[in-house]
Each structure stands twice: as C-alpha cells, then as structure tokens.
Amino acid sequence: QKEVEQNSGPLSVPEGAIASLNCTYSDRGSQSFFWYRQYSGKSPELIMSIYSNGDKEDGRFTAQLNKASQYVSLLIRDSQPSDSATYLCAVTANAGKSTFGDGTTLTVKP
Amino acid sequence: KAGVTQTPRYLIKTRGQQVTLSCSPISGHRSVSWYQQTPGQGLQFLFEYFSETQRNKGNFPGRFSGRQFSNSRSEMNVSTLELGDSALYLCASSLEVGSLYGYTFGSGTRLTVV
C-alpha cells in the first residue's frame, strides 16, 4: 500500500463545474496536509494547507480533512481552464518529510 | 523576495560520470529538501538539510549525497550516473526543519543521462 494515494485520473470537468480531488494516507501520525498544483513543465506550487479536521476555504478552493478516515480532499468551485494541471497531495508526519501522492491530472474543458 | 534558485536548469551527462546540482533557498529559510521526480515514480524524497546537518534521508543509494553550507545553500551530488537517474531534481525550501508549513520549490534541474 502506498503511503499517500490519490484517485486515479485523468479527471475532466466542464468549465464552471466543481472538481473534486481525493487523497488517502496511511500514517495516523500525520500532522500537516497539503495540496500542490503543478502545471506541465513547471515545478509544484503550494496552493492549500490544512492541519485540523474540517474544511478550509481559500477563494474557489476548499480543502477538507478527516483524520479518523485518513482522508483529504480538494474541491475547486467554478473550475476554469487555467485550473488544468496536476494536483499533488502531500502529507507530513512526525519524521518531518513530506510524502507525495502520484498526482491527479485535471482538465477543465471550455 | 527572491524565490528558490536552482542551477543549472538542464544537464546532459554520460553514464558513469558524476554531477553536482545547486540550490539557494528563499532568504531566511534554513531547510532545504531535495526530491527526484520521474513519470513512473512521482516525487521521491532524497534528503533534507537544516543548519548544515542532514536531518532526513530517503531510500536512495549512497551514490546520492548532499550538503548544506552556512548560508543555507545546498548542493546534491550523484556519482557513477546510471540511465535511471534521468529525472527532474527539485529543491524545496522551508522555514524550519521538516515541512510542517509546506515547501516552496525551485524550478528544478532536468538531468538526462545518456
């Protein structure tokens, strides 16, 4: 079992729809949870961080964390073609390093 | 505020050679982590340096090594290059040891081993 698993893509949604990206992790000692966005040919960029159970909203992005279920998600409302990218879930446990999922590629069609 | 600077951007090396990559973190950030990114394996953690000391290490062979200088700049070295070392090498800067608050990544060094 991988330490961090993301729902397999690619994911395609029409412009204006909600995109839902999911991630599960195996280490119950995990403390910090992140979503990074990586455009093709570019490096990852941190877009959301969440540390406690519940929802965290930032503009069109909402991160959700459920530690009991070891589950993290990212919702993108009113998806735009510029949101087309690979989204990486990352989890940090006590050891300090971040472990990344393989990523989910999102395509938003105009 | 300058971002994370990695040099060089591209490298082509021959199997058996060695290579050194450089990373300058964001000013004030004391931790530098290195990741290898390949299409098949995704982002794999190499090691983390904080205050010139290696604090974490991933599951890579000893051919992969690194160091950090007193100004927080870091280098990683790969000796006896293999074809499978071809990858994007990313440097990640963070304020403190570990990545509790997330990383800022550099643009990466694209290494091709022929």
Side-chain angles (χ1 to χ4, degrees), chain B residues 68-106:
Chain B
Q68 187 180 35
F69 302 96
S70 58
N71 62 357
S72 295
R73 189 177 72 85
S74 177
E75 290 181 346
M76 69 162 280
N77 184 78
V78 188
S79 62
T80 320
L81 284 165
E82 300 177 359
L83 296 179
D85 297 332
S86 295
L88 179 66
Y89 289 88
L90 290 162
C91 167
S93 167
S94 55
L95 195 58
E96 295 292 339
V97 68
S99 57
L100 285 178
Y101 305 108
Y103 295 130
T104 301
F105 282 92

Side-chain angles (χ1 to χ4, degrees), chain A residues 40-43, chain B residues 6-13 19-22 87-89 107-113:
Chain A
S40 181
K42 301 293 186 182
S43 58
Chain B
Q6 287 190 248
T7 57
R9 289 294 308 277
Y10 302 94
L11 268 177
I12 300 176
K13 289 287 188 179
V19 67
T20 299
L21 312 181
S22 178
L88 179 66
Y89 289 88
S107 297
T109 295
R110 173 77 59 184
L111 172 65
T112 302
V113 182

Side-chain angles (χ1 to χ4, degrees), chain A residues 2-23:
Chain A
K2 287 190 174 183
E3 294 180 62
V4 178
E5 296 207 46
Q6 296 186 237
N7 52 330
S8 59
L11 177 64
S12 180
V13 300
E15 185 174 355
I18 295 175
S20 178
L21 305 164
N22 303 314
C23 172

Side-chain angles (χ1 to χ4, degrees), chain A residues 2 31-34 36 38 41-46 49 51 88 91-93 95-102, chain B residues 9 35 37 40-45 48 55-57 88 90 97-108:
Chain A
K2 287 190 174 183
Q31 301 170 286
S32 307
F33 307 85
F34 308 97
Y36 291 81
Q38 186 173 24
K42 301 293 186 182
S43 58
E45 173 194 13
L46 180 64
S49 57
Y51 303 97
L88 299 162
V91 175
T92 299
K97 68 177 177 69
S98 271
T99 300
F100 286 80
D102 289 340
Chain B
R9 289 294 308 277
Y35 282 82
Q37 188 174 36
Q41 297 295 317
L43 271 160
Q44 299 290 315
F45 175 76
E48 176 186 16
R55 299 303 182 107
N56 281 297
K57 188 177 189 306
L88 179 66
L90 290 162
V97 68
S99 57
L100 285 178
Y101 305 108
Y103 295 130
T104 301
F105 282 92
S107 297

Side-chain angles (χ1 to χ4, degrees), chain B residues 30-47:
Chain B
R30 297 191 293 162
S31 172
V32 173
S33 298
W34 289 89
Y35 282 82
Q36 180 196 66
Q37 188 174 36
T38 59
Q41 297 295 317
L43 271 160
Q44 299 290 315
F45 175 76
L46 282 154
F47 28 66

Side-chain angles (χ1 to χ4, degrees), chain A residues 20-23 33 35 48 50 52-57 61-67 71-75:
Chain A
S20 178
L21 305 164
N22 303 314
C23 172
F33 307 85
W35 286 97
M48 290 289 284
I50 188 166
S52 55
N53 283 329
D55 295 359
K56 179 181 178 182
E57 188 174 316
F61 297 91
T62 299
Q64 299 173 317
L65 174 61
N66 184 326
K67 289 187 177 180
Y71 175 89
V72 194
S73 67
L74 179 70
L75 298 177

